[in-house]
């Protein structure tokens, strides 16, 4: 019902975490922030959110990846949903970065299968499309 204001708020928190995180306790806030994803409708704010997610994944942030990468299925599900609903423009840098993350995870077949097996059919289709392009 209030999805756009909610996604605006998520993006605002994202920007605070990215640009002024010295004022925050990241250990407490990052897990909560991650639980709010995916952002699926606000095409103006989605690039900030997914760019920051990519930053965190690429930095191997333990709050996002979890112990022994236990959160990878959730990371893939969030990315898959963003791709399934086309919230990022096809030519965006953020879209390319999250696709690169999926391709990197694909390098470990058993982990990738565990991540993809829990996806909805539209999410699985979105992942298949990016991997075949």
């Amino acid at each position: 019902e209030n999805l756009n204001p909610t996604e605006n708020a998520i993006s605002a928190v994202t920007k605070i975490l990215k640009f002024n995180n010295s004022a925050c306790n990241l250990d407490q806030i990052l897990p909560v922030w991650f639980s709010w994803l995916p952002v699926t409708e606000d095409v103006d704010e989605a690039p900030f959110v997914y760019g920051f997610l990519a930053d965190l994944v690429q930095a191997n942030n333990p709050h996002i990846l979890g112990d022994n990468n236990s959160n990878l299925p959730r990371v893939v599900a969030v990315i898959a949903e963003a791709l399934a609903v086309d919230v990022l423009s096809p030519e965006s840098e953020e879209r390319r970065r999250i696709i690169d993350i999926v391709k990197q995870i694909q390098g470990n077949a058993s982990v990738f299968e565990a991540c993809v097996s829990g996806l909805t059919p539209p999410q699985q289709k979105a992942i298949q499309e990016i991997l075949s392009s």
Side-chain angles (χ1 to χ4, degrees), residues 65-84:
L65 297 179
D67 294 333
N68 297 315
N69 294 325
S70 61
N71 290 345
L72 276 180
R74 170 104 172 99
V75 170
V76 171
V78 166
I79 290 171
E81 186 62 20
L83 296 170

Side-chain angles (χ1 to χ4, degrees), residues 24-131:
C24 306
N25 181 339
L26 292 179
D27 293 341
Q28 289 181 330
I29 298 174
L30 278 179
V32 174
W33 173 84
F34 186 53
S35 76
W36 294 337
L37 302 183
V39 166
T40 58
E41 290 194 7
D42 194 328
V43 297
D44 295 324
E45 299 301 333
F48 296 104
V49 173
Y50 291 106
F52 187 56
L53 177 63
D55 291 344
L56 295 169
V57 171
Q58 291 171 333
N60 293 312
N61 184 284
H63 299 296
I64 301 304
L65 297 179
D67 294 333
N68 297 315
N69 294 325
S70 61
N71 290 345
L72 276 180
R74 170 104 172 99
V75 170
V76 171
V78 166
I79 290 171
E81 186 62 20
L83 296 170
V85 299
D86 287 324
V87 74
L88 296 168
S89 69
E91 65 280 348
S92 77
E93 174 70 11
E94 295 81 12
R95 186 176 194 278
R96 184 197 59 75
R97 290 179 68 205
I98 64 172
I99 289 171
D100 286 347
I101 289 168
V102 172
K103 289 180 177 179
Q104 184 177 0
I105 296 168
Q106 184 190 26
N108 184 324
S110 62
V111 170
F112 184 72
E113 180 54 37
C115 292
V116 174
S117 66
L119 299 179
T120 66
Q123 291 171 338
Q124 289 180 351
K125 182 176 184 250
I127 294 295
Q128 289 169 350
E129 287 174 358
I130 59 132
L131 294 177

